[in-house]
């Protein structure tokens, strides 16, 4: 166990995911801590290597102590930062930009060559260089926002837009308005829609026999990923809510490609 306020932040900074942190906080409040955070011993204290969201959740819950796993003591900066990168670069949901930003932080903080980094983190020199090239292609106006103000995962979504001025404008909008990932996705899809010159989708509302109301969009439904997810979830409830089959078949055919079996 270690005092939560006696643990220094990691050498490689990652932007906290608010939704993930809140989910972990609720889990820890209900069930306690299942897995220790990973730290290295630094002098008389500790520095975080992995477990940023768990530590933030413990602090928000008012915990005084947290379970830790110590994996080293007074490690060289290159070794310690390589451990952080190795533990985080293959994490579920991590984007190529996440990895590029962490590798760049490691390179700038240690002054290491591409070959040294590759040997330390278990990547090929070519893969390290490709990742650093991704970082260098991010507009400077956006790079300064990452990771302190703009999450790498959101920067990765913004990179879908090819127009650099639009990228910069969108990144600033995310920071100024604190846009969620879902809101950012919707904004990106709207930008793509305007570029294609598509007509704006028209919503259609359907009231089921059981009284539930669903709203579907009739145009560009294949493009709107977030709307598709909501649509699929709604379709799973159709049998229970008694939506007429004539409507059900059309919706499921659009999502799955083939008519669903009639129930």
């Amino acid at each position: 166990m270690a005092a939560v306020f006696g643990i220094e932040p990691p050498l490689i900074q990652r932007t906290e995911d608010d939704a993930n942190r809140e989910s972990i906080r609720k889990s820890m409040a209900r069930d306690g801590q299942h897995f220790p955070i990973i730290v290295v011993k630094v002098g008389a204290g500790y520095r975080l290597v992995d477990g940023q969201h768990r530590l933030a959740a413990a602090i928000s819950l008012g915990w005084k102590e947290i379970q830790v796993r110590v994996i080293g003591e007074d490690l060289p900066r290159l070794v310690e930062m390589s451990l952080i990168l190795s533990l985080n670069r293959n994490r579920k949901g991590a984007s190529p930009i996440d990895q590029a930003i962490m590798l760049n932080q490691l390179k700038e903080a240690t002054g290491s060559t591409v070959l040294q980094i590759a040997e330390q983190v278990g990547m090929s020199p070519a893969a390290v260089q490709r990742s650093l090239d991704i970082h260098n292609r991010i507009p400077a106006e956006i790079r300064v926002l990452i990771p302190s103000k703009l999450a790498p995962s959101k920067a990765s979504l913004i990179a879908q837009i090819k127009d650099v001025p639009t990228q910069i404008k969108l990144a600033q909008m995310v920071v100024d308005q604190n846009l969620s990932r879902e809101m950012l996705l919707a904004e990106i899809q709207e930008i793509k829609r305007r570029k294609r010159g598509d007509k704006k989708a028209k919503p259609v509302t359907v009231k089921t026999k059981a009284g539930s109301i669903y709203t579907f969009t009739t145009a560009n439904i294949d493009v709107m990923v977030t709307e598709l997810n909501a649509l699929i979830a709604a379709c799973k409830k159709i049998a229970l809510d008694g939506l007429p089959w004539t409507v059900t078949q059309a919706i499921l055919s659009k999502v799955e490609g083939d008519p669903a079996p009639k129930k």
Side-chain angles (χ1 to χ4, degrees), residues 221 231 235 244-260:
I221 195 129
L231 187 56
C235 288
W245 172 245
T246 53
V247 177
T248 306
Q249 187 179 38
I251 294 170
L252 292 179
S253 296
K254 192 172 291 186
V255 175
E256 300 177 358
D258 296 308

Side-chain angles (χ1 to χ4, degrees), residues 8-244:
E8 298 178 19
L11 292 178
I12 293 181
Q13 294 294 318
R14 295 174 56 232
T15 304
E16 290 186 10
D17 183 316
D18 293 339
N20 189 28
R21 180 181 57 192
E22 179 60 19
S23 175
I24 291 173
R25 188 193 70 80
K26 290 179 179 179
S27 174
M28 289 173 62
R30 182 182 63 248
D31 305 320
Q33 184 183 356
H34 290 299
F35 304 102
I37 62 173
I38 298 176
V39 300
V40 292
K41 191 165 178 55
V42 182
Y46 300 99
R47 184 159 52 224
L48 187 64
V49 171
D50 185 58
Q52 184 170 323
H53 289 91
R54 278 168 283 166
L55 180 59
I59 292 172
S60 70
L61 290 169
W63 290 10
K64 302 300 182 185
E65 293 184 320
I66 189 169
Q67 297 176 37
V68 300
R69 177 187 171 198
V70 182
I71 60 171
E73 182 174 356
D74 295 323
L75 300 177
R77 289 177 68 85
L78 176 58
V79 174
E80 185 176 335
M81 295 180 79
S82 298
L83 284 171
I84 298 172
L85 194 146
S86 297
L87 287 167
N88 284 283
R89 70 188 180 90
N90 294 320
R91 187 183 300 276
K92 181 180 179 181
S95 70
I97 289 184
D98 285 287
Q99 176 175 286
I101 291 167
M102 288 190 288
L103 279 169
N104 186 72
Q105 288 185 50
L106 189 156
K107 185 175 185 294
E108 290 189 347
T110 64
S112 302
T113 65
V114 169
L115 184 59
Q116 289 172 325
I117 293 173
E119 291 176 347
Q120 193 64 47
V121 302
M123 297 172 63
S124 70
V128 172
Q129 188 59 60
R130 283 196 300 271
S131 194
L132 291 172
D133 289 343
I134 289 174
H135 178 271
N136 294 334
R137 287 198 296 270
I138 302 172
E141 294 88 344
I142 296 179
R143 283 205 303 267
V144 298
L145 301 174
I146 307 170
S148 59
K149 295 182 179 180
L150 180 66
S153 57
K154 293 180 180 178
S156 183
L157 292 174
I158 292 171
Q160 296 177 22
I161 304 298
K162 304 304 180 184
D163 181 60
V164 172
T166 304
Q167 283 186 18
I168 296 170
K169 182 179 178 180
L170 191 54
Q172 197 59 56
M173 181 189 300
V174 171
V175 173
D176 292 344
Q177 301 181 21
N178 193 27
L179 295 185
S180 66
R181 189 175 188 277
E182 291 72 23
M183 294 168 68
L184 174 58
L185 274 171
E187 192 67 34
I188 289 171
Q189 297 303 336
E190 178 63 16
I191 290 171
K192 290 181 177 180
R193 183 193 66 76
R194 289 200 301 266
K195 186 175 182 180
R196 291 194 306 269
D198 294 342
K199 294 181 179 179
K200 191 166 184 177
K202 297 179 180 180
V204 172
T205 299
V206 176
K207 186 173 182 179
T208 70
K209 294 176 181 178
S212 297
I213 297 177
Y214 298 103
T215 301
F216 305 108
T217 301
T218 58
N220 302 320
I221 195 129
D222 58 321
V223 178
M224 295 294 291
V225 176
T226 53
E227 186 171 349
L228 268 173
N229 288 334
L231 187 56
I232 292 169
C235 288
K236 289 178 180 178
K237 297 175 60 180
I238 283 173
L240 296 176
D241 283 349
L243 190 66

